[in-house]
Structures are given as structure tokens and as C-alpha cells.
Amino acid sequence: MSDPESLSVVPTSFPYKPLDPARSEIRLVCIAPASHDAPIVCNLIQTSLKDDCHYLALSYVWGDPSRVLPIQVDGHTFNVTENLEAALRHLRLISTARSFWIDAICINQRNIAERNQQVELMGAIYKSAVQVQVWLGLETDSGTRILEAADRLGQKIIEVGLDQLLVKQPDRETTERLIAIIAAEFRQQYTNGVWLEELKGIFDRPWWSRVWVQQEFALAKSAYFVCGQTSVHWRFLDMVMIALHYLDSDTTFAYSSHDDKRNIRDDQGNIISLRFQHENGWPMSLFNLVFQHGKLRDLKATDPRDHIFGFLGLADKAHGFRPDYSMPVDVLTCRFAKAHICHVEERRRRLWVLSFAQKKNLKDTDGLPSWAPDWSSPLDPHIVPSLFGTLQIYFPCGREIPPELPTFSKKEPKILPVTGTCFGTVEQFGASERLTFSKFLRSSELDVLMRSCGNLLEEAQNYVKVTRPTSQTGESAPVDDSKLLWRTLVLDRNLIFSTPEQRANSETFRRFLVLSKGSKHLPDDYMPRSDEQTRRIKYTTPLLKAMKKTLHHRQMFRSSAGHLCIGPETVEPGDKLCILIGAEVPFILRSHRDHHVLVGEAYVDGAMDGEVLTQGFTSKVFDLH
């Protein structure tokens, strides 16, 4: 179901006949055959998913609700968005009628009860369709070239007997044959960068970023991507992505915009991986779908409730949630967050929903409490390193299994009681200004970024010199300035993922030395044939990227206990640093008379491994509003 961008699109007087929920009834749109320029004429057919019905389903984006065009449905004028009208016109055949399931026409969007019931059938509707047509929009010269190239590559792969690639990833021998085919087909386009730019144009289309299309595509028996009159099997387009991966590792291809390639693979790869997970029977909890595939990817939905309802068709565990568009957004959001807290099996990680709740503006929350995620806003990089893996890196509560969380009050649905301890307050920012470093980190060019980091490091090092953690007795503890700084700037995270270590190590520190002190600290055997500047840039790239991510919408500050910290830009003097039972990182809370609000995550050097709880601090319950 594509998002109903505005009910103004939906006709107010169209005579829908009621559907029978007991029979799982749906409506189909039968598009009458005609030439391309002829008016679009359709009629509605009611059928049951329990019957053997033959139809296609359309996956698309509604488009601008203020720009509509009329079609005929059962003899009545029915306004649809320009994008849907274009899809109907291009998908219509000249001599044969076609039956589609299309949400904007088949569901009476003004009937909340029917909308709830039909959304609950969404999974079955897309599973039962003989084919899903993915409408990406009108054709362009570049879009047509990409889809035609994808089709040629797919056909070639089948011709040479590599059609197993249509259902699984290639082994080494198959990969070598694949690269040879790709090289022959695409080398020229790739080396001059045209192919990459045209491919980027396909994946910049809004369809890829919508919530509802995730399940529509993942559940399809068969799916085709369509641009205007050109269509291609989804797996053929995926072959282009595999090609991009192997071309990226083939040094004979000269074009080197690595970030563009990575972004394209991420955008398209996530929705493809979701389909593979579904096909292979991977467990799909509604919680993980909403957080991992929804919030982390910043998917779009005009109705915030669709960030949850849009994944129900894929979920094998819905945890009691059903579509209900009469439920207020804030009520649904709070219920979902609290349900997630109650269902997390590992007590040490019960509160990682709070890592999704950090807001850029604590005063403009649309009625949401501070601890509830706002699905409509993009998620900044979080400090918790892996929300969905089994690996835990930080242990601010220690490694003992914590007690159960306080019981939630049904009378106060917007209050979240959490147990924890306060071990300091936000006391001092940089001498001249808050150390957000944003002015140093605006450039995406790594060589420019590296040069600007000299200023960043100088200012940060000057700041660290006045920062000394103190014990409860008030005595200063000696700290190595340089180690404290580099560990904080990368959140004490390992940058070299080929090693089993998860925390920052000597290799991370060496990269910091190369960045701050110069090329004399480079390993002798690192890229020995390259010039010194290239070696230095390549060697420090992981560090620069980690620093850029660390400081995105964050700032450095000192606590009243002398800790060097990283926290959100919204932090203010007097905010409390807290260890919360069931959280993987410290959190910053702000006092408001008889309650607290959540400000966001914090990295606190010297408080990430249970050190605070060994010092005898008293625990209390914080009521988060």
C-alpha cells in the first residue's frame, strides 16, 4: 500500500460496495484495453483471497496529492495523482484487459474500518498476486538505458548457464565468469562514469525510500521494475548491483567514486536483502523490521503510523499490534516502545529503544514524550554500535544481569520509569565555544577534511588539558591526554574490522598519530609505492570517517566529575549524566521539577565498563516524560 499522501485525492462520493471481512474480500481494478492516448476506463471487481483469483499488484508512490487527473471507474469520474495516472496509462494493454490491485482505487480510504481491515490483508494481497509491477516513474533516456543494460546482462547470464545467480549469490568460480561478462558488457560505460551516474538516477527515485514498498516488493512471487514502456525482472537489476560490487574491486576500472557506489549499494541493497531474508525464512520480528529497516534507513511515510503498520505483512511476530488508524500517533508510538522494552530478552539491553529517541529539538515533539522515537525524523548515528547483533561492546552497568525494570503504569502511558544513578552533571564546554567541530567536518573530500582536522585536534587537545576525571574524594586522577582524546573521538571503537577486537586498539592510536603528528608514524610496508600524501590520506581515512560520524550533531564537554564526554548538541549545563539499568551506554537526562526528560546518549570516557557502579552511587527511579 503506497502512502495516502492526502485524503483530498480520495473521491468523497464514489459508491463503493461494502467488502465482507469474513471472506477476506478485496477489490480489483480491471483496466479496459485502449491505445496509449485514449482516456483511462476501469471497473471494479470484488473477489475473495480465498478464491483462485488471477491479478497483478501495483507498487508505486502516490505522488503530489495536489496534482490529480481524472479517470473513469464504473462510469464515475475518479481523480488519481499524476503518477498513478501515468502508471495506468503505461501498464494498460492495447487489446487485452488487465486486473490490478491498486490501493488508491481498491480501498475506500475514507472508511477507517475498511482501511484497517485491508491493511491487515496487505501481506496476503501481495503474496497472492501473480506478479508485482514496480512503477518507478516515467522513462528518461538514462533510466531506459540502465534497465535495458540490466536486461542484457540478465539475459547474457542465463545464456552462459549462470542462471543460478537468479536465486543465490555466486561462488568464486562463478564470480570469475561473471566479472568477464560484466567487463565485456559494461567496461566503457563504467570507466567514463556514465553508467554509475545513470544508475544513481534510478535509485534516487522516491519509490526506494517509502515504507510500504518494502513489504510489497519482498512478498512478491515475481516482480518487474518499470520505467515508462521499459521493464526488467528485478533480479536482472540486482545483477547490475552485483556487477557494481565486482567492478568496484577490479582495479582495471578507472572510475573511483567509492562513496557514490557505496550509497547506491546501500539504498538498493537493503530492500533486496529484505526480500532474501523473507525468502529464506529468516525470523522477522515486527520490532526489528521497524527499527532496522525503517528507522535506520530513514524511510518515508506521510502517516507516522505506517512506520509500524507498513511492516505487519512481513512480521512473523507482531506482538499484538494490528492496523488501527483511529489510534492517535503518540499513543501508538508509546505502546510500541514500551512493548519493545518488555520483549527484549537480554536485560542488559532492555533500554536500547532509547537510542532511537534522541531529538534535535526537545520543545517541538508533536506531543511525543522525550523517550519515544519520532518515526518521522531521520536517525542520527547512534553510539550503541550494533542494535540488532548479539554483540555488546559497552557495559556501563557492569556485566552482571540487572534486575527487572519498574512496572509501567497504565494510568500514565506517556511516563517511562527507569532505574539508574546520576554520577555527574554537564559542567563545561570548550573555552571559546561548544566543541561541536561542525565547521571542521563539512567537507566530504577526505584530503580537505584531513587538513581541517589539524585545527580540530589542536582545539580539542587544548580542551583536554583542563579535563581531569576526579574520584569521589575530589582527588585528581592522572590521564594521558593523547590517549584520552583519540579514544573519545572514535567512541573507543575499533576501526579495523578484520580483527576480533571491538574496542579501540594500538592500530587505531597509530592512525591518530599519523593524522596529528605526520607521515613519520606510517608503517613502512603500507602502500610503499605510493607518494607520502596518498599514503597518509588512505591510512587515516577510517579514523576521519569515524570522527565525522562521532561528531555529527554532537559536541564534546566536561562533566562535574571531570570526565571527557561526547553528547548531543542539545545538551545544556546542569544536565545529568546517568547510568540506566538495561542501557548499553550512559544517557543524559534533564530535570523538570518532579520529572526528567531524555536528552540523548553519551560517551563518557571512564564510565563505559561499569566503573561508576563500583563507586557506591545510590540508585533511584527516574520518571521520564
Side-chain angles (χ1 to χ4, degrees):
M1 176 179 173
S2 299
D3 304 310
E5 307 278 4
S6 169
L7 289 179
S8 62
V9 178
V10 182
T12 57
S13 59
F14 186 81
Y16 281 106
K17 297 178 181 178
L19 297 171
D20 183 357
R23 296 192 65 247
S24 299
E25 281 192 341
I26 62 172
R27 302 183 186 95
L28 299 177
V29 181
C30 183
I31 309 172
S35 62
H36 179 80
D37 295 328
I40 297 173
V41 177
C42 310
N43 64 286
L44 290 179
I45 303 170
Q46 290 192 195
T47 186
S48 169
L49 289 174
K50 297 179 179 179
D51 298 335
D52 185 19
C53 45
H54 186 280
Y55 65 94
L56 299 93
L58 182 63
S59 180
Y60 70 111
V61 175
W62 277 43
D64 187 344
S66 68
R67 300 175 67 88
V68 297
L69 293 170
I71 64 172
Q72 289 293 309
V73 179
D74 287 344
H76 298 268
T77 298
F78 194 110
N79 287 333
V80 296
T81 59
E82 287 184 344
N83 191 49
L84 177 52
E85 197 271 353
L88 293 171
R89 190 169 295 281
H90 284 80
L91 295 173
R92 176 176 59 182
L93 301 179
I94 294 177
S95 58
T96 307
R98 303 182 87 181
S99 294
F100 278 86
W101 188 87
I102 303 172
D103 64 329
I105 304 174
C106 296
I107 298 177
N108 182 355
Q109 301 285 349
R110 293 187 177 276
N111 185 326
I112 297 297
E114 178 179 307
R115 188 176 166 196
N116 290 342
Q117 187 266 338
Q118 290 287 289
V119 168
E120 196 162 14
L121 290 178
M122 285 288 297
I125 290 172
Y126 277 87
K127 284 179 183 176
S128 300
V130 294
Q131 187 182 105
V132 171
Q133 297 271 309
V134 176
W135 174 253
L136 296 178
L138 293 172
E139 63 263 71
T140 61
D141 290 343
S142 60
T144 299
R145 281 194 296 269
I146 283 295
L147 294 192
E148 289 176 346
D151 191 58
R152 286 197 309 272
L153 177 59
Q155 296 296 342
K156 183 68 174 177
I157 287 171
I158 291 175
E159 289 174 11
V160 298
L162 298 182
D163 49 304
Q164 70 266 32
L165 292 180
L166 299 180
V167 293
K168 65 179 182 180
Q169 298 299 321
D171 56 26
R172 182 171 181 177
E173 180 182 351
T174 305
T175 295
E176 292 175 356
R177 297 176 64 190
L178 177 62
I179 291 176
I181 295 171
I182 295 166
E185 189 72 39
F186 293 113
R187 183 181 298 272
Q188 183 58 44
Q189 294 94 320
Y190 193 81
T191 52
N192 62 26
V194 172
W195 183 40
L196 185 65
E197 289 302 315
E198 293 183 350
L199 189 62
K200 193 171 183 294
I202 286 289
F203 295 121
D204 280 344
R205 298 195 180 210
W207 181 87
W208 300 94
S209 63
R210 307 302 288 184
V211 166
W212 278 107
V213 306
Q214 310 299 307
Q215 73 166 9
E216 294 169 358
F217 176 75
L219 296 173
K221 292 176 183 176
S222 172
Y224 277 76
F225 291 109
V226 183
C227 278
Q229 300 290 352
T230 307
S231 65
V232 64
H233 191 278
W234 76 269
R235 197 64 175 100
F236 290 178
L237 190 59
D238 189 43
M239 285 294 98
V240 175
M241 299 311 299
I242 294 176
L244 185 63
H245 172 77
Y246 290 111
L247 291 175
D248 195 14
S249 60
D250 183 351
T251 56
T252 62
F253 289 87
Y255 193 71
S256 58
S257 182
H258 178 80
D259 285 342
D260 278 346
K261 286 178 279 190
R262 172 61 60 188
N263 291 338
I264 291 173
R265 285 205 299 274
D266 288 347
D267 293 343
Q268 186 259 7
N270 279 302
I271 194 169
I272 298 294
S273 69
L274 187 60
R275 180 182 176 91
F276 275 121
Q277 290 173 31
H278 171 71
E279 289 177 340
N280 292 312
W282 290 20
M284 286 192 174
S285 160
L286 180 62
F287 294 134
N288 280 10
L289 286 167
V290 170
F291 287 116
Q292 188 170 20
H293 291 281
K295 185 65 171 173
L296 287 182
R297 289 188 54 211
D298 187 25
L299 296 177
K300 303 296 190 296
T302 302
D303 190 325
R305 289 166 290 206
D306 287 339
H307 285 284
I308 296 172
F309 299 156
F311 288 102
L312 283 170
L314 279 169
D316 50 26
K317 292 181 181 179
H319 305 289
F321 287 90
R322 300 178 64 181
D324 182 0
Y325 287 94
S326 65
M327 185 183 297
V329 173
D330 58 341
V331 174
L332 174 64
T333 302
C334 292
R335 286 185 184 178
F336 190 79
K338 286 187 173 182
H340 178 267
I341 291 171
C342 292
H343 280 85
V344 174
E345 295 180 0
E346 193 174 350
R347 292 182 190 175
R348 280 194 298 254
R349 313 179 82 175
R350 278 280 173 88
L351 295 182
W352 45 268
V353 66
L354 299 185
S355 292
F356 289 84
Q358 184 168 299
K359 300 174 177 65
K360 292 184 177 66
N361 186 346
L362 291 174
K363 296 180 180 179
D364 183 17
T365 59
D366 292 328
L368 289 177
S370 63
W371 53 268
D374 179 3
W375 304 114
S376 62
S377 65
L379 177 70
D380 286 334
H382 42 265
I383 294 176
V384 174
S386 179
L387 297 178
F388 303 98
T390 57
L391 183 67
Q392 184 172 350
I393 294 181
Y394 306 122
F395 295 86
C397 298
R399 294 178 182 265
E400 298 296 324
I401 302 299
E404 287 289 348
L405 298 176
T407 303
F408 303 142
S409 170
K410 293 183 179 179
K411 294 181 179 180
E412 301 289 350
K414 290 189 176 183
I415 297 177
L416 179 69
V418 294
T419 301
T421 184
C422 172
F423 64 98
T425 59
V426 177
E427 184 178 79
Q428 181 178 342
F429 299 100
S432 59
E433 59 179 311
R434 295 187 177 195
L435 289 177
T436 61
F437 304 137
S438 58
K439 63 182 179 181
F440 302 115
L441 297 172
R442 289 172 184 162
S443 172
S444 60
E445 297 296 330
L446 289 175
D447 55 340
V448 177
L449 181 59
M450 190 181 75
R451 288 195 295 271
S452 69
C453 275
N455 296 327
L456 183 156
L457 294 174
E458 182 179 357
E459 186 170 353
Q461 284 171 327
N462 290 335
Y463 180 61
V464 171
K465 287 178 181 178
V466 300
T467 305
R468 289 291 186 276
T470 57
S471 66
Q472 285 188 317
T473 63
E475 297 179 355
S476 296
V479 175
D480 185 322
D481 287 343
S482 59
K483 289 185 177 181
L484 175 63
L485 177 60
W486 70 262
R487 202 166 51 229
T488 301
L489 287 175
V490 297
L491 305 176
D492 194 11
R493 196 87 54 80
N494 178 27
L495 304 174
I496 314 302
F497 299 108
S498 58
T499 68
E501 298 174 80
Q502 299 301 318
R503 302 294 279 270
N505 54 23
S506 58
E507 180 66 21
T508 311
F509 184 45
R510 187 167 190 167
R511 291 171 193 263
F512 176 81
L513 289 176
V514 173
L515 178 65
S516 58
K517 305 295 185 181
S519 303
K520 62 183 179 181
H521 294 282
L522 278 166
D524 293 337
D525 59 350
Y526 184 77
M527 299 178 62
R529 298 182 180 180
S530 300
D531 62 85
E532 183 176 301
Q533 179 72 354
T534 299
R535 293 174 68 216
R536 189 182 181 195
I537 291 174
K538 291 288 186 180
Y539 190 70
T540 56
T541 291
L543 176 64
L544 289 164
K545 287 186 174 181
M547 288 168 55
K548 192 170 184 178
K549 186 175 181 179
T550 294
L551 299 170
H552 182 69
H553 291 306
R554 295 197 188 105
Q555 59 185 320
M556 189 178 288
F557 60 91
R558 176 187 175 181
S559 76
S560 58
H563 294 95
L564 184 62
C565 313
I566 295 282
E569 287 181 327
T570 51
V571 71
E572 295 179 356
D575 288 345
K576 296 179 179 180
L577 283 167
C578 299
I579 301 294
L580 304 180
I581 304 302
E584 290 188 67
V585 292
F587 277 89
I588 301 171
L589 306 184
R590 184 171 299 161
S591 296
H592 280 275
R593 297 179 182 175
D594 60 343
H595 67 274
H596 292 80
V597 296
L598 181 77
V599 178
E601 297 175 307
Y603 172 85
V604 182
D605 195 84
M608 304 302 287
D609 292 292
E611 300 94 332
V612 169
L613 298 187
T614 64
Q615 298 178 24
F617 287 95
T618 303
S619 295
K620 62 172 291 186
V621 175
F622 299 93
D623 285 334
L624 301 185
H625 286 225

